[in-house]
Amino acid sequence: MAARRVLECDLGEAIKDGEMELHYQPKVNLETHKLSGAEALVRWNHPEYGMIRPDEFISIAEESLLILPLTIWTLNTALRQSIESRKLWPDFKVAVNLSASILDDELVELVMRALRTWDVPPEQLILEVTENAVMKNPESCLNTLNKLRDEGIELSLDDFGTGYSSFSYLKRLPVQELKIDQSFVKLMMESEDDIHIVQAMIDLGKNFGLRVIAEGIETPETVERLVDLGCHSGQGYYIARPMPHAMLLDWIRNSAWTSATEAPHSEATLQTEIS
Ligand code: G
Ligand code: G
Ligand code: MN
């Protein structure tokens, strides 16, 4: 693997030189069996090291202040590409991950500018922030999240269950969606205790009036179990792996999640992510 310092040197240039690429993973409504949108996941197509996943460079970007230009690039690319997705699927919402370190008034301005540039209605953008990141500095995050919400943008609390949010903050967070972290979704199929945890998270989200989405769904049995527990939405390899934009457009055209009325049988398990 490329050394951290090497990546740090290359990252600034990489954003300018077009080495970044977005892959999209569909998010679906498990009750209606319909597509709702997709999460944009950034990849770095490095000329020497090949496709690098975000785990390996997001933290470098966060430490080196490159996270802001990277996020501006991601937002603009995701919004621009969502225009084509929406032509095929009018309710398509694109979700972009945000680092909590850049949640400030300047970011609100940048997001609004990007929405105007691509003429995308704010309600078709979802911004995902992780529970852990928000809880490190809840008061200042709350301020920015409220401003984004006032503009009509949807907010999602990512990796829910892995952090330490207190109920009092959860109540005040202006999020519309809770994403149950994939670790719970996997464990759920192995032990009864973990089913109780997932059930509790679903009930908590619903009682707060939130849409609850389970990440990391890898089998049809997991979908069935989640539907029994009352989980509204899902995302995971069983539904579809993250894929490049052109493949997403084909997927929208051909997937059972955009056509069938019955629960679709996955075509996704046959795909492998190009990386
Ligand atoms: O694809 P996966 O390895 O694709 O993503 C790993 C993690 O990287 C995810 O948990 C996701 O939250 C994070 N991530 C992906 N894209 C972005 C991005 O554009 N910005 C930030 N801050 N995090 C991202
Ligand atoms: O932002 P977030 O933490 O939700 O990022 C999702 C991460 O999880 C990405 O790295 C994505 O590639 C990965 N992922 C998505 N679905 C699945 C799945 O079903 N199984 C596994 N193992 N990983 C998944
Ligand atoms: Mn996410």
Side-chain angles (χ1 to χ4, degrees):
M1 187 50 252
R4 209 178 154 83
R5 286 188 40 153
V6 175
L7 292 184
E8 188 175 331
C9 289
D10 293 352
L11 186 57
E13 293 304 313
I15 300 167
K16 289 192 214 114
D17 293 350
E19 291 173 18
M20 296 295 162
E21 182 176 324
L22 292 183
H23 284 196
Y24 292 90
Q25 186 175 38
K27 294 166 91 167
V28 301
N29 182 325
L30 297 175
E31 291 165 358
T32 60
H33 310 296
K34 291 284 179 260
L35 175 69
S36 51
E39 177 176 6
L41 295 157
V42 68
R43 269 102 181 87
W44 178 0
N45 197 355
H46 194 285
E48 202 174 325
Y49 305 113
M51 205 62 98
I52 309 179
R53 298 175 75 101
D55 301 343
E56 297 186 54
F57 63 87
I58 292 291
S59 64
I60 301 175
E62 284 173 345
E63 285 159 23
S64 64
L65 301 180
L66 286 167
I67 191 66
L68 191 60
L70 178 61
T71 305
I72 295 170
W73 177 86
T74 303
L75 259 173
N76 280 284
T77 306
L79 290 174
R80 173 169 57 78
Q81 295 184 331
S82 77
I83 297 169
E84 286 173 79
S85 311
R86 213 164 27 254
K87 280 186 196 149
L88 298 172
W89 195 253
D91 295 332
F92 186 92
K93 294 184 188 205
V94 69
V96 170
N97 291 284
L98 283 189
S99 294
S101 60
I102 52 166
L103 286 180
D104 60 14
D105 288 354
E106 186 193 356
L107 180 81
V108 180
E109 280 300 310
L110 288 165
V111 171
M112 294 318 294
R113 195 179 309 154
L115 285 168
R116 284 193 298 272
T117 301
W118 304 107
D119 198 21
V120 173
E123 54 277 10
Q124 300 212 253
L125 173 64
I126 301 181
L127 295 174
E128 297 192 6
V129 285
T130 66
E131 182 193 21
N132 269 323
V134 170
M135 289 308 148
K136 273 190 197 142
N137 204 343
E139 287 300 336
S140 92
C141 285
L142 261 178
N143 184 30
T144 307
L145 293 177
N146 277 320
K147 286 183 180 159
L148 290 166
R149 185 59 201 143
D150 288 346
E151 297 286 358
I153 295 159
E154 273 205 23
L155 302 171
S156 174
L157 195 59
D158 209 353
D159 300 347
F160 183 67
T162 60
Y164 306 95
S165 33
S166 73
F167 290 124
S168 58
Y169 273 120
L170 199 56
K171 195 178 71 183
R172 289 172 59 202
L173 277 177
V175 299
Q176 286 68 56
E177 181 179 88
L178 266 195
K179 288 188 93 169
I180 300 177
D181 188 70
Q182 43 183 296
S183 56
F184 299 103
V185 176
K186 296 217 170 71
L187 288 171
M188 176 184 95
M189 299 309 280
E190 290 161 20
S191 99
E192 276 301 312
D193 284 352
D194 290 283
I195 293 213
H196 296 315
I197 295 177
V198 172
Q199 178 78 76
M201 290 196 271
I202 292 170
D203 293 345
L204 176 72
K206 283 180 139 180
N207 289 334
F208 278 125
L210 307 179
R211 177 173 68 235
V212 179
I213 175 164
E215 307 184 298
I217 299 177
E218 294 186 351
T219 66
E221 293 77 26
T222 316
V223 172
E224 261 171 53
R225 210 60 208 255
L226 286 164
V227 169
D228 287 344
L229 297 176
C231 187
H232 181 277
S233 302
Q235 182 178 348
Y237 291 175
Y238 170 67
I239 297 150
R241 287 180 180 249
M243 58 191 121
H245 176 60
M247 269 177 73
L248 176 75
L249 296 180
D250 278 342
W251 187 90
I252 297 175
R253 286 190 195 98
N254 299 316
S255 169
W257 294 94
T258 52
S259 53
T261 46
E262 292 294 304
H265 293 288
S266 176
E267 61 264 44
T269 41
L270 303 173
Q271 303 171 13
T272 46
E273 183 178 3
I274 300 170
S275 61

